[in-house]
C-alpha cells in the first residue's frame, strides 16, 4: 500500500511516499481503508525528533494519529463494528496511509464528510478534557490563548455550549474567524493583560492555553494565581506551577460519536484545509509555521 513515511528525523523533506505492507489487525483492532487522516502539530514535533524523550519513535515511521474511513477487516474479538462500516477514530498505526489499524472508532454519520469527520477525534477529546479539568461552567468567562487552530475551533464552541463566555486570542487574520465561532476575539502579544481586562473587567474564571507561546505569566497575572489555568503546549508549566494536560490514553468512542452527530447536524462546525496524500510534506510545512486556521487534513480519495 501507499503510505507517507520518514526514515530519519528532520524537516519536512524527510517525508516521502513509500510502498509498504498492508497491516493486519490484531485482537481488538479493526483495519480501516483510510479516506482522510487528521494532521496534528504533534506530527511535525515527532518527525523533527524534538519529542524523542517523550514519544520515542521507532524508524521508519508513518505519521498520523487519527483517521476516517471504511472498516475492511476485523481482528479477533471485535464485535461492535462490521466490515463496511464508515468510522472515525484514533489510529494505532500511522494514518497517512491507505490502510491503518485502530482500536477506538465511532460510527461516522452519513451527513458528515470524511474530511470534517477526521477533524474531531484529537481536537474534540483534548478540548473536552481541558474544559472538564478547568471545570468551566455556565456564566463563567474563559480566556483561550491561540484558539483559531484545530483544538481551539472546538474548544470555543464546546465552552460556549456550556454557557461560558470565551475571550480568545489569535493573529490579525483570525480575529473574524474566532468571532464567527462565538468568541470575543483579541490579539495575542504585548498588551494582552490590558486588552483582556478591558474586555472582562470582572476578571477571567479560567484560562486554557492552546498555544504554548509564552502567555502563562500573563495568565497568572489575570487569574491572580495559578489556579484554573491549564496548558496543553507550554512545557514551562511545571516550573510556573501551572497544570499541563497531556493526551489521554482513555479516549471515549461514545463521546466521539456524540460529537460526530453534533457535527453532522451543524451544532458544531469544523473548518478544514485538505491536501492529497502525496502533498503531506506541504501540509506539515503549513502546520510547522504554527499559524493554522481550523484543521489540516490529508485526503486519500
Ligand atoms: N497536550 C495535549 O493533549 C495536546 C493535544 C492536542 C494538541 N496539543 C498541542 O496544542 C497546540 C495546539 O494544537 P492545535 O492542533 O490547535 O494547533 P494548530 O491547529 O496548529 O493551531 C495553532 C494556533 O496557534 C495560534 N498561534 C500561533 N502563534 C501564537 C501566539 N504567539 N499566541 C497565541 N496563539 C498563537 C495560531 O493562530 P494564528 O494563525 O492566528 O497565529 C493557530 O491557530 C499544539 O502545540 C499541539 O501540539 C496538545
Amino acid at each position: 500500500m501507499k503510505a507517507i513515511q520518514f526514515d530519519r528525523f528532520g524537516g519536512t523533506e524527510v517525508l516521502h511516499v513509500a510502498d509498504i505492507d498492508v497491516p493486519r489487525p490484531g485482537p481488538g483492532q479493526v483495519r480501516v481503508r483510510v479516506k482522510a487522516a487528521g494532521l496534528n502539530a504533534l506530527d511535525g514535533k515527532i518527525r523533527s525528533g524534538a519529542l524523542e524523550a517523550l514519544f520515542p519513535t521507532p524508524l521508519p515511521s508513518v505519521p498520523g494519529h487519527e483517521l476516517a474511513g471504511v472498516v475492511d477487516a476485523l481482528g479477533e474479538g471485535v464485535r461492535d463494528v462490521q466490515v463496511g462500516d464508515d468510522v472515525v477514530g484514533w489510529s494505532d498505526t500511522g494514518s497517512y496511509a491507505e490502510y491503518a489499524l485502530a482500536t477506538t472508532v465511532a460510527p461516522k454519520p452519513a451527513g458528515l464528510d470524511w474530511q470534517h469527520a477526521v477533524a474531531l477525534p484529537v481536537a474534540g477529546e483534548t478540548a473536552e478534557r481541558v474544559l472538564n479539568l478547568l471545570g468551566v461552567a455556565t456564566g463563567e468567562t474563559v480566556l483561550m490563548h491561540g484558539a483559531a487552530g484545530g483544538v481551539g475551533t472546538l474548544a470555543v464552541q464546546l465552552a460556549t455550549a456550556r454557557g461560558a463566555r470565551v475571550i480568545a486570542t489569535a493573529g490579525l487574520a483570525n480575529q473574524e474567524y474566532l468571532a464567527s465561532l462565538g468568541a470575543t476575539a483579541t490579539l495575542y502579544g504585548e498588551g494582552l493583560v490590558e486588552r483582556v481586562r478591558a474586555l472582562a473587567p470582572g476578571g477571567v474564571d479560567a484560562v486554557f492555553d492552546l498555544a504554548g507561546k509564552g502567555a502563562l505569566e500573563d495568565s497568572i497575572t489575570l487569574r491572580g494565581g495559578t489556579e484554573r489555568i491549564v496548558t496543553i503546549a507550554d512545557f514551562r508549566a511545571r516550573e510556573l506551577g501551572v497544570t499541563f494536560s497531556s493526551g489521554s490514553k482513555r479516549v471515549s468512542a461514545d463521546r466521539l460519536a456524540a460529537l460526530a452527530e453534533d457535527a453532522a447536524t451543524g451544532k458544531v462546525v469544523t473548518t478544514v484545509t485538505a491536501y492529497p496524500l502525496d502533498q503531506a510534506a506541504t501540509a506539515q510545512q503549513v502546520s510547522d509555521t504554527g499559524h493554522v486556521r481550523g484543521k489540516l487534513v490529508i485526503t486519500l480519495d
Side-chain angles (χ1 to χ4, degrees):
M1 68 168 184
K2 215 161 103 169
I4 298 296
Q5 192 171 277
F6 57 103
D7 313 317
R8 60 190 166 90
F9 299 112
T12 53
E13 72 283 353
V14 302
L15 299 172
H16 59 90
V17 178
D19 189 11
I20 63 174
D21 291 342
V22 174
R24 293 170 62 159
Q29 289 181 313
V30 298
R31 185 172 65 209
V32 177
R33 171 80 172 90
V34 180
K35 298 285 190 178
L39 200 148
N40 286 282
L42 179 66
D43 302 352
K45 298 176 193 175
I46 290 174
R47 182 212 68 231
S48 72
L51 286 188
E52 266 308 275
L54 289 175
F55 298 93
T57 303
L59 299 177
S61 174
V62 177
H65 294 92
E66 52 196 340
L67 52 74
V70 184
V71 174
D72 96 314
L74 304 179
E76 201 188 307
V78 175
R79 309 218 188 289
D80 48 351
V81 183
Q82 308 294 324
V83 167
D85 284 358
D86 292 351
V87 296
V88 54
W90 290 265
S91 54
D92 300 341
T93 54
S95 59
Y96 295 22
E98 288 178 319
Y99 294 87
L101 304 179
T103 307
T104 308
V105 292
K108 184 194 77 66
L112 184 65
D113 67 30
W114 303 113
Q115 303 177 18
H116 288 83
V118 88
L120 301 175
V122 170
E125 186 279 326
T126 306
E128 193 166 69
R129 166 169 32 95
V130 174
L131 295 178
N132 288 342
L133 202 55
L134 287 169
V136 172
T138 308
E140 292 192 323
T141 299
V142 190
L143 171 62
M144 296 189 189
H145 301 296
V151 181
T153 294
L154 291 177
V156 169
Q157 296 174 76
L158 296 180
T160 52
R162 290 177 181 216
R165 177 186 182 216
V166 178
I167 298 174
T169 75
L172 198 53
N174 280 323
Q175 297 290 296
E176 275 181 33
Y177 177 66
L178 287 180
S180 77
L181 297 173
T184 301
T186 193
L187 293 170
Y188 47 68
E190 198 157 337
L192 180 68
V193 170
E194 292 69 30
R195 284 192 296 283
V196 173
R197 282 189 173 143
L199 292 169
V204 297
D205 299 295
V207 180
F208 182 175
D209 172 35
L210 303 107
K213 302 273 180 173
L216 290 184
E217 283 88 347
D218 281 354
S219 306
I220 293 166
T221 302
L222 285 161
R223 283 283 306 130
T226 55
E227 295 284 303
R228 296 188 80 191
I229 303 174
V230 174
T231 180
I232 56 169
D234 196 329
F235 292 113
R236 297 174 314 130
R238 184 188 286 253
E239 75 191 58
L240 294 172
V242 167
T243 301
F244 187 100
S245 177
S246 300
S248 173
K249 294 275 178 226
R250 294 185 306 279
V251 289
S252 160
D254 290 345
R255 291 299 308 135
L256 175 58
L259 187 60
E261 285 299 336
D262 285 348
T265 58
K267 210 166 144 192
V268 163
V269 298
T270 54
T271 301
V272 301
T273 305
Y275 296 82
L277 183 68
D278 56 9
Q279 284 180 32
T282 306
Q284 282 204 1
Q285 268 166 26
V286 174
S287 175
D288 286 356
T289 66
H291 299 290
V292 172
R293 178 181 299 174
K295 185 87 178 172
L296 303 177
V297 306
I298 309 280
T299 52
L300 289 103
D301 265 334

